Amino acid sequence: MSTDSPKTCEALLKDAASRIQSESARLDAELLLSHVSGLSRTSFRAWPEREIDAGQVEAFEKLVSRRVEGQPVAYLLGHQEFWSLPLNVSSATLIPRPDTECLVETAVDLPLPADARVLDLGTGTGAIALALASEHPQWAVSACDCVDEAVELARENALALGLTVSVVKSSWFSGLKPVRFDLIVSNPPYIASGDHHLSEGDVRFEPASALVSGTDGLDDIRLIIEQAPDWLNEGGWLLIEHGFEQAASVRSLMTARGFEAVESRRDYGNCDRMTLGCWRSAS
Ligand code: GLN
């Protein structure tokens, strides 16, 4: 956009939305303009002719160019809402997905002790652990991640939200103190290494360590299911998010390992997106 172009909000938004290749181009543009101007999205509708200053136009155009290149909006804004919690995000972690809220819904409804000990494996931003801590403040929630920046980010998010989650650096269970949990949740990497989705959309900019797990996408899930019984109390639950075509495999893995009451649940898009099972050592 040349310097003498109009700088009304509507002109800026229209121009940006026409260049952004996304189903949500207009929304993306509004979020970016709101971010640089401090104006609300509703104000763009109420006062489309409002002009913003040149510095803000420049900042907006920089963000729009990065969005046109495909950078996810959440990374450009530096935050993403999950379970109504504003979370800081960075390119070191996966951006929390709305579908993962279905995993939180399932977890909060499980028959667990009032003071349940809970672990979120591979927490990233801390999204799942923080959502659980916000719903059940009396639960003792721990979280781990193998990436230093993720551990820092999850701790920062907990602090900013005033929620108590103990975040430690650990690759799955390997670095944890030997305690047993009533619930272990995880949204691990589960995409197969050659999957074409990896070269499309936002995932191109997300860390492979949070997305990819071997040739069938199940390497990390296999490890978690194999080791989880050593970390679960009697009657404790394991709840894992997985790909929409992996439910049958994950159910077989859990059943073969001796989990009971194994079942899969759907996400907002009606895809089988998570599987859970209960651990009883005597069975
Ligand atoms: N659900 C994400 C996607 O398909 C992947 C998340 C993950 O690997 N844990 O984009």
Side-chain angles (χ1 to χ4, degrees):
M1 186 173 267
S2 69
T3 45
D4 52 4
S5 303
K7 296 183 183 55
T8 67
C9 290
E10 183 53 28
L12 289 165
L13 289 171
K14 216 170 179 174
D15 175 72
S18 72
R19 287 185 288 139
I20 295 170
Q21 302 287 314
S22 148
E23 281 172 18
S24 55
R26 171 79 191 198
L27 170 64
D28 295 359
E30 288 183 9
L31 289 168
L32 297 176
L33 189 58
S34 174
H35 182 69
V36 298
S37 66
L39 300 169
S40 69
R41 284 180 50 223
T42 44
S43 80
F44 302 144
R45 281 168 216 275
W47 298 286
E49 300 309 317
R50 189 175 196 155
E51 298 199 2
I52 63 169
D53 69 46
Q56 291 177 339
V57 173
E58 199 180 317
F60 175 65
E61 288 304 327
K62 273 194 188 135
L63 291 179
V64 171
S65 307
R66 291 175 64 200
R67 182 66 188 131
V68 169
E69 286 161 16
Q71 283 281 348
V73 175
Y75 288 158
L76 299 176
L77 301 178
H79 55 83
Q80 165 78 36
E81 194 163 290
F82 181 82
W83 200 259
S84 299
L85 303 172
L87 298 177
N88 290 323
V89 300
S90 86
S91 54
T93 66
L94 195 76
I95 299 163
R97 308 284 201 270
D99 284 322
T100 303
E101 294 181 347
C102 298
L103 181 129
V104 173
E105 277 171 23
T106 301
V108 296
D109 284 345
L110 286 171
L112 295 176
D115 60 349
R117 196 186 282 272
V118 177
L119 171 66
D120 175 16
L121 286 169
T123 196
T125 57
I128 299 171
L130 293 164
L132 295 179
S134 76
E135 283 303 308
H136 285 292
Q138 68 283 28
W139 283 4
V141 183
S142 305
C144 69
D145 204 285
C146 64
V147 175
D148 285 312
E149 293 99 309
V151 172
E152 282 309 308
L153 189 65
R155 284 180 182 155
E156 275 169 33
N157 278 326
L159 201 64
L161 293 165
L163 293 168
T164 309
V165 171
S166 153
V167 189
V168 296
K169 183 175 177 183
S170 173
S171 174
W172 306 129
F173 299 102
S174 64
L176 301 182
K177 277 199 234 128
V179 285
R180 287 187 183 261
F181 298 91
D182 300 297
L183 168 64
I184 297 174
V185 289
S186 186
N187 174 16
Y190 54 69
I191 300 178
S193 47
D195 194 306
H196 67 92
H197 289 106
L198 293 167
S199 53
E200 297 164 13
D202 286 3
V203 294
R204 288 172 298 160
F205 297 87
E206 293 178 288
S209 64
L211 294 167
V212 182
S213 187
T215 50
D216 64 356
L218 289 168
D219 281 5
D220 291 292
I221 288 179
R222 268 189 287 268
L223 182 148
I224 292 168
I225 292 174
E226 178 55 32
Q227 298 185 3
D230 297 335
W231 299 85
L232 280 170
N233 280 325
E234 193 67 19
W237 292 85
L238 175 63
L239 170 61
I240 303 180
E241 180 174 322
H242 50 66
F244 72 104
E245 293 168 320
Q246 293 171 330
S249 308
V250 177
R251 284 198 301 273
S252 327
L253 288 165
M254 278 201 197
T255 305
R257 183 66 181 87
F259 281 88
E260 292 179 4
V262 173
E263 62 168 309
S264 300
R265 300 272 176 90
R266 302 200 157 179
D267 64 15
Y268 294 129
N270 223 18
C271 298
D272 278 332
R273 180 60 68 185
M274 71 201 94
T275 296
L276 68 162
C278 182
W279 178 252
R280 289 187 203 285
S281 55
S283 63

